[in-house]
Amino acid sequence: MMSGETLISKFKGALVGAVLGDCIGSIFEGLWAKSIAIEKVLKKVDKVESEAEKTDDEDRKIWEYTDDTAMARSVAKSLIEKKGLDPKHMAQMFSEEYFKEPFRGYGGGVITVFTKLKESHYLDPFRPAAEQFDGCGSYGNGGAMRIVPASLFAYKENDPKTLTGLVEQVTKLTHTHPSAVDGALLQSYAVDLALRGSGELKIESFCDELQKRMKEREESEAKKDKKKKGKEEDQPDMIKTSSDFPSLAYTEIIDEIKKCALQDPIPTSEEISERLGTDIAAYRSVPAAVYSFLRASTDINKLEGRNPFEKTIILAISLGGDTDTIATMAGAIAGAWYGLETIPQSWQRSCEAVDDALTFATELHKINTSDE
């Protein structure tokens, strides 16, 4: 049985890891793999660490968080305040947070959702997102990037179905495309498995359990789809969507994640970008985050002396593309597995909102250990 001290360390590690991945990853956002090398990331990390040594708070540079953390904070605060999911409350928090600080880097699609939510006084919190893109919904990674508090909140239940239901609802407030929802589920399952894991990370076992959960999810959705259409049809390895936007089933993508994580020699950043993706689509970014966490448990050239959490963040950023989101997701998984103690104090000292993340983690831990 996991001790209370270990569990709260994992809760704190998950939320702090997500914040740091976002803050440090945002430095490189939009740069592609061919223009980023591990050496470049290390130079920035050195800068982060040197800034932390400054004793004058006014003189010390603080790296700011983006919309990834802004929305994750709203998820955490709403779940804590309402002790569960209140869609209207969470939608209002998303919208109010945006209008209070619109400079955090929000995408145009979600801004439209927030505007419609505010104009409608949050009467139907799911409708604006469902109407996006001719009713197909967004397939972006905006649901996955903020979902870690949901994994922490549902930990006590120890039931993938409970977590699935919560994640679906939280995600559909802004992203309703099946690929976006399943991407958020993949991320939430990875965090949940990391929270429950200990000792040496076994890549194959982790991927197998992750794949098992996603297979159950995809088979369940296929049955619902067949029932809805009222006829039998084959369910291929491609997800059929009303938007004609095809994506490989996540169960198939996990096979590719495993191959990349076990490949010797380690794949180049350009190769990972091509095979797993590093852009804003959920199915082309969540896999890169999971890969970064898994691969960082092995030896990586030029990262000797760095612990697995540090390697996870640095590797995730070096892949290029949507670096803040990939690093925030990877940092959440790594923090959940390795715990707060593995996260450098210098990184924590140099990034915005770490204290709030620690507070949210403590409150979510209390909810899980309460007898109520």
Side-chain angles (χ1 to χ4, degrees), residues 48-277:
V48 170
E49 292 170 343
S50 65
E51 285 290 323
E53 297 176 0
K54 295 181 179 180
T55 56
D56 188 341
D57 289 344
E58 293 184 1
D59 187 47
R60 189 175 74 252
K61 179 176 176 57
I62 299 296
W63 276 264
E64 297 180 346
Y65 63 79
T66 74
D67 57 324
D68 302 55
T69 297
M71 296 192 73
R73 285 161 59 88
S74 292
V75 173
K77 286 188 282 189
S78 184
L79 290 174
I80 291 167
E81 183 175 332
K82 295 298 182 178
K83 291 184 169 55
L85 177 64
D86 182 328
K88 289 184 179 180
H89 182 263
M90 190 175 291
Q92 185 171 353
M93 293 197 74
F94 284 157
S95 182
E96 290 179 350
E97 184 68 23
Y98 164 70
F99 285 105
K100 182 176 68 175
E101 296 185 340
F103 57 83
R104 295 290 182 180
Y106 293 86
V110 77
I111 292 173
T112 300
V113 171
F114 295 153
T115 301
K116 289 183 177 180
L117 284 169
K118 184 178 181 180
E119 291 174 347
S120 69
H121 302 289
Y122 313 99
L123 292 178
D124 184 351
F126 295 104
R127 184 171 181 175
E131 293 175 341
Q132 288 277 89
F133 305 104
D134 298 323
C136 297
S138 170
Y139 55 77
N141 54 27
M145 73 185 188
R146 67 173 188 254
I147 207 62
V148 59
S151 294
L152 272 57
F153 181 84
Y155 177 84
K156 183 178 181 180
E157 298 298 324
N158 195 17
D159 177 14
K161 290 183 179 180
T162 298
L163 177 58
T164 297
L166 176 60
V167 171
E168 280 187 299
Q169 297 298 294
V170 172
T171 303
K172 286 182 176 180
L173 288 170
T174 56
H175 294 69
T176 62
H177 193 288
S179 186
V181 176
D182 283 357
L185 285 168
L186 178 64
Q187 172 68 9
S188 70
Y189 294 158
V191 172
D192 183 67
L193 290 174
L195 288 170
R196 301 177 194 282
S198 62
E200 180 185 357
L201 174 60
K202 297 181 179 179
I203 293 174
E204 291 188 79
S205 298
F206 191 94
C207 287
D208 289 346
E209 182 58 33
L210 198 57
Q211 191 172 52
K212 176 183 176 183
R213 292 193 183 190
M214 287 307 303
K215 183 178 181 180
E216 291 173 355
R217 160 71 180 181
E218 289 171 353
E219 289 179 346
S220 174
E221 289 302 292
K223 290 178 181 179
K224 289 179 184 179
D225 188 54
K226 288 179 181 179
K227 185 176 181 180
K228 181 179 179 180
K229 291 180 179 178
K231 62 180 181 179
E232 292 293 322
E233 65 177 291
D234 292 332
Q235 184 71 12
D237 289 338
M238 304 293 284
I239 301 172
K240 290 185 177 180
T241 70
S242 56
S243 66
D244 294 325
F245 174 81
S247 64
L248 286 172
Y250 281 91
T251 50
E252 300 296 324
I253 294 174
I254 293 170
D255 281 333
E256 191 66 16
I257 294 172
K258 185 194 299 185
K259 290 177 184 177
C260 291
L262 294 172
Q263 182 175 316
D264 186 21
I266 184 172
T268 64
S269 294
E270 292 91 338
E271 186 177 352
I272 293 299
S273 181
E274 180 179 344
R275 291 169 64 179
L276 299 180

Side-chain angles (χ1 to χ4, degrees), residues 314-325:
I314 295 168
L315 179 60
I317 295 172
S318 75
L319 300 179
D322 197 6
T323 52
D324 58 332
T325 298

Side-chain angles (χ1 to χ4, degrees), residues 38-39 42 296 298-308 310-311 314:
I38 283 181
E39 293 92 337
L42 285 172
T298 68
D299 293 334
I300 299 177
N301 187 31
K302 300 183 178 120
L303 294 183
E304 297 85 355
R306 295 281 180 176
N307 70 37
E310 296 170 76
K311 288 193 289 183
I314 295 168

